[in-house]
Amino acid sequence: STQLKAMFYLRYIGALFYDGIIIVAVFFFFTALCLLCREGVAIPSASSWYQLSLLFLFCGYYFLSYQHGGQTIGMRAWHLSLVSMTTCLSKKQIIARFFLFIPACLFGIFCLKKPQHLLKKWTQSYIILIT
């Protein structure tokens, strides 16, 4: 059981790493498009529209991936999936995972609980290992 948990967390970290690479590539592509539209003029570092656009792309990637199949590309590569404890994975559950991820991590550290268990309880959804 301990070995299975270790394998799960290793796969979860691997999936996050893969998704991180994809997100960075999406950010580069979006930035290149913005620079083309601005005719090569640099985007000011304090541009709220640009920062919000990157946040939207980040959330959009995860939301669309979870909504269509419960897996991101990284999760698919590492045989992981997000599933609901009720019926189908709902938009409400996906959005709740976005907003409750950081509180679950902070609460887990201070109360010595695993963030994944808190997210499971709060959102009625959890990540499984597909064998």
Side-chain angles (χ1 to χ4, degrees), residues 47-65:
S47 298
S48 298
W49 69 268
Y50 180 69
Q51 293 171 1
L52 287 174
S53 297
L54 294 179
L55 180 63
F56 179 77
L57 286 171
F58 178 84
C59 292
Y61 169 75
Y62 278 97
F63 183 82
L64 291 173
S65 295

Side-chain angles (χ1 to χ4, degrees), residues 20-94:
I21 292 170
I22 292 166
I23 289 293
V24 168
V26 169
F27 287 175
F28 279 138
F29 181 75
F30 176 73
T31 302
L33 285 178
C34 290
L35 290 173
L36 279 173
C37 291
R38 295 174 54 88
E39 297 176 351
V41 176
I43 301 168
S45 60
S47 298
S48 298
W49 69 268
Y50 180 69
Q51 293 171 1
L52 287 174
S53 297
L54 294 179
L55 180 63
F56 179 77
L57 286 171
F58 178 84
C59 292
Y61 169 75
Y62 278 97
F63 183 82
L64 291 173
S65 295
Y66 287 153
Q67 190 177 19
H68 299 285
Q71 295 176 301
T72 62
I73 295 170
M75 290 171 74
R76 188 164 301 183
W78 287 93
H79 304 286
L80 299 172
S81 183
L82 179 65
V83 295
S84 175
M85 292 171 63
T86 54
T87 56
C88 296
L89 194 59
S90 71
K91 292 176 184 178
K92 183 179 175 182
Q93 288 172 309
I94 296 169

